[in-house]
């Protein structure tokens, strides 16, 4: 049977600009993993099996918003993405495109990301900011953990920057499938993918990247210190600007030092070192 998804269309005309970003963060926390931001509406996507009408209603009611809902087939999602997906760049550092786009010239690294249901094409402020933070970091021969790998975009970039081993983890089988395809297309050899909703503490890493959401980051905060080497780096994202100070304080309590914050479109990515 073909897998189905619910397309939730939320009207955001005459609403504050930041509301779209707030809704994406809140929807992600209840299982939505695909988003399209349009001029007058936000489209969010979730597996039909995971869709909960009451949870959606509870989320939208405080904003006095009512969504319309469509059912779409999995294969139609690819067509939808292709019609909305355009190449992007992070300065001259990295370019991200789909296989059907022309090569991007003038960038150090080019990533080919198939625009499927998984979150992470570089366009969103969180992914963009994490890539900006990654640029000056020395990845040569390092072990990297990518928690919430999505499309695998950050894991792929880590290998292109010289990582010797990258472990990418996600709790969505569709993400692991999609990331695996992207790993192959980008000719990566050092990336391992695993389906999991938590962090295994059996290995230690030099660099840990977690671009998910505040709820999951807080739930796993006790585990981060157990997997990072003494001179390691922790990058957290999927956070709104309003989350920054709370997350910095929480990380300080667990042995991390705030190094810098990158901000884009109302979202932040925060870099920490081990105290």
């Amino acid at each position: 049977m073909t897998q189905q998804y619910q397309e939730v269309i939320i009207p955001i005309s005459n609403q504050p600009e930041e509301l779209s970003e707030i809704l994406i963060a809140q929807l992600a926390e209840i299982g939505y993993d695909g988003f399209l931001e349009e001029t007058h509406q936000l489209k969010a996507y979730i597996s039909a099996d995971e869709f909960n009408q009451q949870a959606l209603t509870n989320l939208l009611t405080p904003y006095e918003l009512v969504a319309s809902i469509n059912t779409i087939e999995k294969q139609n999602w690819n067509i939808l993405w292709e019609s909305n997906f355009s190449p992007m760049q992070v300065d001259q550092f990295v370019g991200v495109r789909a296989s059907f786009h022309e090569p991007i010239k003038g960038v150090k690294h080019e990533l080919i990301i198939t625009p499927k249901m998984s979150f992470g094409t570089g366009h969103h402020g969180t992914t963009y900011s994490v890539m900006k933070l990654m640029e000056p970091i020395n990845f040569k021969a390092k072990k990297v953990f990518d928690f919430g790998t999505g499309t695998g975009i950050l894991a792929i970039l880590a290998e292109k920057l010289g990582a010797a081993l990258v472990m990418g983890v996600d709790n969505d089988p569709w993400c692991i499938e999609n990331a695996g395809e992207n790993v192959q297309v980008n000719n990566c050899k050092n990336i391992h993918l695993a389906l999991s909703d938590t962090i295994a503490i059996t290995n230690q890493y030099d660099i840990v990247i977690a671009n998910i959401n505040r709820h999951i980051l807080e739930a796993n905060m006790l585990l981060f210190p157990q997997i990072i080497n003494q001179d390691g780096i922790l990058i957290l994202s999927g956070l709104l600007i309003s989350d920054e100070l709370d997350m910095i304080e929480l990380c300080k309590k667990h042995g991390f030092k705030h190094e810098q914050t990158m901000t884009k479109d109302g979202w932040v990515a925060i870099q920490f070192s081990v105290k």
Side-chain angles (χ1 to χ4, degrees), residues 199-215:
I199 298 172
I201 57 173
T202 53
N203 295 299
Q204 293 258 294
Y205 299 90
D206 303 297
I207 301 166
V208 173
I209 301 169
N211 181 22
I212 311 182
N213 63 57
R214 176 171 176 166
H215 173 71

Side-chain angles (χ1 to χ4, degrees), residues 66-258:
V66 177
S68 58
I69 301 167
N70 298 320
T71 299
I72 61 173
E73 303 296 333
K74 176 179 172 181
Q75 63 264 28
N76 292 339
W77 171 257
N78 300 341
I79 298 172
L80 180 65
W81 259 121
E82 289 184 16
S83 67
N84 288 276
F85 181 64
S86 58
M88 62 80 62
Q89 286 184 226
V90 180
D91 304 323
Q92 278 68 55
F93 171 50
V94 60
V96 182
R97 67 176 177 89
S99 57
F100 50 82
H101 293 137
E102 292 295 321
I104 300 173
K105 298 179 180 179
V107 293
K108 293 180 181 177
H109 305 283
E110 184 183 53
L111 312 183
I112 300 174
I113 301 298
T114 303
K116 291 189 176 179
M117 193 72 188
S118 306
F119 180 77
T121 58
H123 293 76
H124 194 269
T126 59
T127 311
Y128 183 99
S129 294
V130 172
M131 291 193 289
K132 285 283 287 183
L133 289 176
M134 291 172 70
E135 183 174 7
I137 295 173
N138 179 15
F139 279 81
K140 298 294 183 183
K142 299 294 177 63
K143 293 174 64 178
V144 179
F145 186 77
D146 179 21
F147 189 38
T149 194
T151 61
I153 184 172
L154 300 176
I156 292 166
L157 179 57
E159 176 166 330
K160 289 184 178 292
L161 292 173
L165 181 147
V166 185
M167 187 71 210
V169 170
D170 206 289
N171 68 351
D172 186 343
W174 178 235
C175 288
I176 296 300
E177 178 185 334
N178 187 200
E181 294 172 355
N182 291 326
V183 165
Q184 288 188 328
V185 168
N186 287 275
N187 299 312
C188 294
K189 308 299 182 185
N190 303 324
I191 297 175
H192 305 276
L193 300 170
L195 181 67
S196 178
D197 58 3
T198 188
I199 298 172
I201 57 173
T202 53
N203 295 299
Q204 293 258 294
Y205 299 90
D206 303 297
I207 301 166
V208 173
I209 301 169
N211 181 22
I212 311 182
N213 63 57
R214 176 171 176 166
H215 173 71
I216 295 177
L217 294 177
E218 290 175 338
N220 286 272
M221 189 56 63
L222 288 172
L223 301 176
F224 288 127
Q226 300 181 60
I227 65 167
I228 300 181
N229 290 329
Q230 187 57 43
D231 56 350
I233 293 171
L234 173 65
I235 297 176
L236 303 180
S237 195
L239 300 163
L240 293 165
I241 289 177
S242 57
D243 297 324
E244 181 187 5
L245 295 181
D246 289 342
M247 189 57 60
I248 289 174
E249 286 304 311
L250 181 61
C251 287
K252 285 181 178 178
K253 293 178 182 177
H254 288 85
F256 295 101
K257 177 185 176 183
H258 177 229

Side-chain angles (χ1 to χ4, degrees), residues 37-51:
E37 295 181 79
E38 299 179 349
T39 304
H40 301 296
Q41 60 188 15
L42 170 67
K43 295 180 178 179
Y45 299 86
I46 187 171
S47 167
D49 294 338
E50 297 182 9
F51 177 72

